[in-house]
Amino acid sequence: MLLELLVLLVPAALGEDVTQRQLKPVKGVPHSRLHLYQPSTTDTFRCLDGSQTILYSQLNDDYCDCKDGSDEPGTSACGNAFFYCSNVGHKGNFIPTNRVNDKLCDCCDGSDEYDSGVDCPNICDELGRAARIEREKIANVARKGFQKRQELAKEGQALRDAKLKDVEPLRQERANIEPERARLETEKKAVEEVEKKLQDEHRNQWEAVRIEKKKLRAQDWFDELDLDKSGKIDREELRQNLFLDNDHDGFVSEDEVKSYLTIDEADFEHFQSSMYDRLKEARHQHREEMKYKEEQEKEKAKALENAPDDDDLLADEDRHEEEEDPEDVRAQEDDKMPDYPPEVNEASEKAREARRLFDEVNEKVQDLDAKIREAEDFANSDYGEDYAWAALKDKCFDRNVQQYTYQFCPFGQNTQKDVGAYGGTSLGNFKNWSGGETNKYSKMHFGDGQQCWNGPKRSTDISIECGEENELVEVTEPAKCEYLFTFRTPLACTDPDKEVVHDEF
Ligand code: MAN
């Protein structure tokens, strides 16, 4: 409301040289606006909204004539008018006219109570002095902060210049290297293909041999198990193999062999496809169990006899550990692929060298890309008109509030974590400066933080104030998962000696 009034009241007739004339004072009107209240040649007054013309004598006659209240700036007759207290020695200000002569002192010079019988003392000098001291204090902080800001701005600008100056040569260098990188990449792919083809050929050939060897092993075992040499294995023959004694009762039952031989008798083909692997696994398991059992017994005996002959026992143990299933040993040997022949090794060596050459150039390109990106990021970021905020680019500031440590990282991510804990909850990433057109750099907005349970994604608004040091001075959570930080910094200080103070409108 006051703002609307002030806009309306900005002297429309400033063109007129009002200082040349002796202006007639009017109660409740500041000097700067008196020209609007001077009597016309016909001794009339035109309401400031132009709605009507009244006699000059009707000004401040305690009767409201104008719709905008402009005829009664010095009385309480109009509900929508304002009275100006000049408050010499302090700061002039407007009060709503309904406070004029209401027996309460509103103006520090007491001028609003000129006809109420209340004697308001003039305390403007006193208030003015205190306000001046306070202003000076604030100005001192601003002065020191502003000086720091200028230094930081220099650093920021130097950083910008360095980054932007470097980026063109970097782009050029990258463009120069690119054809070489592309050539080496094609070359690398070609020799790697040859290497893979030769390795695959070798492996495939070996695979055929391996299958053949496995078949031979299976055949040998089949012949061993086929006690009556009938060319078939039946359950009775299988039961002669103690490793199938699952329940360790010293005897292989019909049931124990059933799961290995589900048909009456197996010829070699059936044995190879359905029995060999499982029997091999069963025999291996059995050997492991026996070994373990033997070791346990030896331990027991050692304990009972109080380790009578350690050396013998150890020798025994060692011998057992070395004893491997000869089938397993044979299988392991059969499964070992022979080394690649020299032509494959040669291809591998070529591929290795091509990779090395490519990686060398590629790393250079990646390094250049990172530097170019960094410079572009810098150029696309808004570090304030004077670049001073670049100084805080990778910095963070903490504040403990109750059980939490809050962290503010100006162009990064804000977090909340339990005091002393590691990691934390994201309160949002830097999105934009949000101080509006008039004071863009007075606020920051952070968004897209960790989702709040039954609520929005966490976000933070930062209110930025002038201070001598960088400091996170206040953290609140005005709404669930919406945080408000107050950050003091020299970067928000303006030159106090340049600011114009308007005491009167
Ligand atoms: C956590 C913190 C609080 C927040 C709640 C919402 O406890 O992040 O700041 O209000 O979650 O559930």
Side-chain angles (χ1 to χ4, degrees):
M1 174 66 187
L2 183 60
L3 209 88
E4 278 167 26
L5 176 90
L6 295 181
V7 172
L8 191 78
L9 295 187
V10 164
L14 265 186
E16 190 186 346
D17 190 358
V18 290
T19 54
Q20 298 302 308
R21 283 196 285 138
Q22 194 61 26
L23 295 172
K24 198 172 168 190
V26 177
K27 199 172 268 307
V29 178
H31 186 265
S32 62
R33 298 178 49 76
L34 274 180
H35 62 283
L36 300 171
Y37 282 86
Q38 296 309 297
S40 67
T41 44
T42 51
D43 241 7
T44 54
F45 170 73
R46 199 167 152 74
C47 303
L48 295 185
D49 62 1
S51 56
Q52 59 175 316
T53 304
I54 56 173
L55 289 175
Y56 194 74
S57 57
Q58 286 176 281
L59 257 187
N60 278 338
D61 67 347
D62 211 10
Y63 183 82
C64 194
D65 296 291
C66 300
K67 271 200 194 113
D68 63 354
S70 55
D71 61 317
E72 296 296 318
T75 77
S76 56
C78 296
N80 55 348
F82 286 86
F83 174 89
Y84 184 75
C85 332
S86 35
N87 294 342
V88 176
H90 188 31
K91 214 174 162 192
N93 70 315
F94 286 92
I95 59 166
T97 49
N98 61 8
R99 295 196 192 159
V100 172
N101 292 325
D102 66 347
K103 300 189 192 299
L104 292 172
C105 306
D106 293 293
C107 305
C108 67
D109 60 3
S111 59
D112 56 316
E113 295 304 316
Y114 62 87
D115 199 20
S116 67
V118 172
D119 185 18
C120 293
N122 186 334
I123 54 166
C124 289
D125 277 350
E126 204 180 307
L127 292 184
R129 217 172 9 255
R132 268 190 300 281
I133 291 172
E134 189 53 32
R135 269 206 303 275
E136 201 38 47
K137 246 196 236 162
I138 293 170
N140 266 336
V141 169
R143 213 166 276 126
K144 286 184 191 152
F146 183 63
Q147 202 175 346
K148 280 189 191 167
R149 172 180 169 173
Q150 282 172 307
E151 284 157 24
L152 293 170
K154 263 190 226 150
E155 278 175 34
Q157 281 156 25
L159 203 62
R160 175 205 56 184
D161 291 347
K163 285 204 191 295
L164 297 187
K165 180 169 73 60
D166 283 352
V167 74
E168 218 21 70
L170 292 175
R171 283 204 188 104
Q172 196 53 52
E173 196 182 340
R174 195 202 187 285
N176 292 344
I177 297 181
E178 182 52 30
E180 175 75 346
R181 196 196 72 92
R183 187 183 66 78
L184 289 172
E185 187 169 27
T186 314
E187 221 164 278
K188 175 184 83 105
K189 279 187 182 151
V191 287
E192 276 178 343
E193 243 168 62
V194 174
E195 178 195 30
K196 184 165 180 316
K197 188 167 157 271
L198 292 176
Q199 283 177 340
D200 286 351
E201 271 171 21
H202 178 81
R203 195 171 297 113
N204 292 341
Q205 277 169 15
W206 161 243
E207 189 59 19
V209 173
R210 204 178 65 85
I211 290 168
E212 199 47 45
K213 286 190 168 185
K214 186 175 176 188
K215 192 174 170 187
L216 286 178
R217 287 200 311 275
Q219 183 69 61
D220 287 353
W221 202 11
F222 179 85
D223 293 346
E224 250 177 62
L225 296 172
D226 179 16
L227 297 173
D228 62 3
K229 305 297 167 206
S230 64
K232 300 244 165 85
I233 298 171
D234 57 26
R235 292 211 179 104
E236 225 18 67
E237 284 168 325
L238 216 47
R239 284 180 62 188
Q240 307 311 310
N241 295 281
L242 256 182
F243 68 83
L244 294 174
D245 176 17
N246 277 341
D247 56 11
H248 304 288
D249 62 355
F251 150 89
V252 182
S253 68
E254 179 92 357
D255 277 351
E256 278 167 331
V257 296
K258 242 187 199 160
S259 66
Y260 295 95
L261 184 53
T262 49
I263 51 180
D264 288 345
E265 40 182 27
D267 59 9
F268 174 65
E269 209 176 302
H270 181 83
F271 174 79
Q272 188 195 4
S273 62
S274 311
M275 296 171 66
Y276 174 70
D277 286 333
R278 292 174 57 227
L279 284 172
K280 200 161 144 293
E281 181 54 31
R283 190 170 59 176
H284 178 78
Q285 276 294 327
H286 177 78
R287 289 182 72 88
E288 291 297 312
E289 278 170 26
M290 294 308 286
K291 237 198 268 181
Y292 178 74
K293 228 161 114 186
E294 261 178 53
E295 271 161 28
Q296 293 273 304
E297 272 162 20
K298 271 185 203 140
E299 290 278 325
K300 238 191 262 169
K302 224 197 300 181
L304 275 175
E305 295 167 28
N306 205 7
D309 193 347
D310 265 353
D311 285 352
D312 277 2
L313 279 174
L314 275 177
D316 255 6
E317 272 171 26
D318 285 345
R319 207 171 32 249
H320 256 297
E321 268 162 25
E322 280 160 18
E323 269 176 31
E324 283 234 32
D325 183 342
E327 257 305 301
D328 283 348
V329 174
R330 190 171 155 200
Q332 271 165 23
E333 270 164 18
D334 286 355
D335 285 346
K336 220 184 287 161
M337 188 179 79
D339 290 344
Y340 288 121
E343 64 268 25
V344 182
N345 288 337
E346 261 168 44
S348 293
E349 185 45 46
K350 268 192 196 154
R352 220 181 347 264
E353 181 58 9
R355 259 194 303 274
R356 192 186 66 74
L357 291 174
F358 169 75
D359 287 349
E360 216 173 78
V361 175
N362 196 42
E363 258 170 45
K364 244 190 236 167
V365 170
Q366 283 174 345
D367 191 47
L368 286 170
D369 280 346
K371 283 186 185 146
I372 292 168
R373 230 181 358 258
E374 206 187 316
E376 281 170 350
D377 280 353
F378 193 97
N380 293 333
S381 302
D382 186 349
Y383 293 122
E385 272 149 21
D386 57 1
Y387 290 89
W389 280 88
L392 298 193
K393 187 168 123 50
D394 297 314
K395 304 237 163 74
C396 292
F397 304 89
D398 287 4
R399 180 165 196 88
N400 287 350
V401 178
Q402 291 164 352
Q403 78 269 38
Y404 296 121
T405 299
Y406 289 87
Q407 189 168 61
F408 165 52
C409 303
F411 298 96
Q413 186 185 63
N414 297 335
T415 52
Q416 175 199 54
K417 58 175 184 171
D418 286 323
V419 174
Y422 197 71
T425 305
S426 165
L427 303 186
N429 299 306
F430 174 73
K431 292 290 172 194
N432 53 281
W433 292 101
S434 53
E437 264 175 41
T438 46
N439 211 351
K440 182 177 177 188
Y441 301 102
S442 64
K443 285 192 172 100
M444 274 180 175
H445 181 70
F446 286 63
D448 282 338
Q450 198 164 313
Q451 184 79 40
C452 181
W453 191 73
N454 261 348
K457 282 187 176 169
R458 286 175 173 78
S459 63
T460 323
D461 281 304
I462 319 291
S463 170
I464 299 162
E465 295 176 353
C466 162
E468 258 183 89
E469 305 294 336
N470 291 312
E471 197 186 353
L472 182 57
V473 289
E474 199 182 5
V475 172
T476 55
E477 190 180 342
K480 192 163 143 191
C481 296
E482 291 176 14
Y483 303 83
L484 180 63
F485 290 2
T486 305
F487 182 61
R488 272 196 204 133
T489 173
L491 301 175
C493 299
T494 48
D495 185 353
D497 304 316
K498 256 195 175 167
E499 280 169 23
V500 188
V501 179
H502 299 279
D503 270 0
E504 199 195 79
F505 296 98

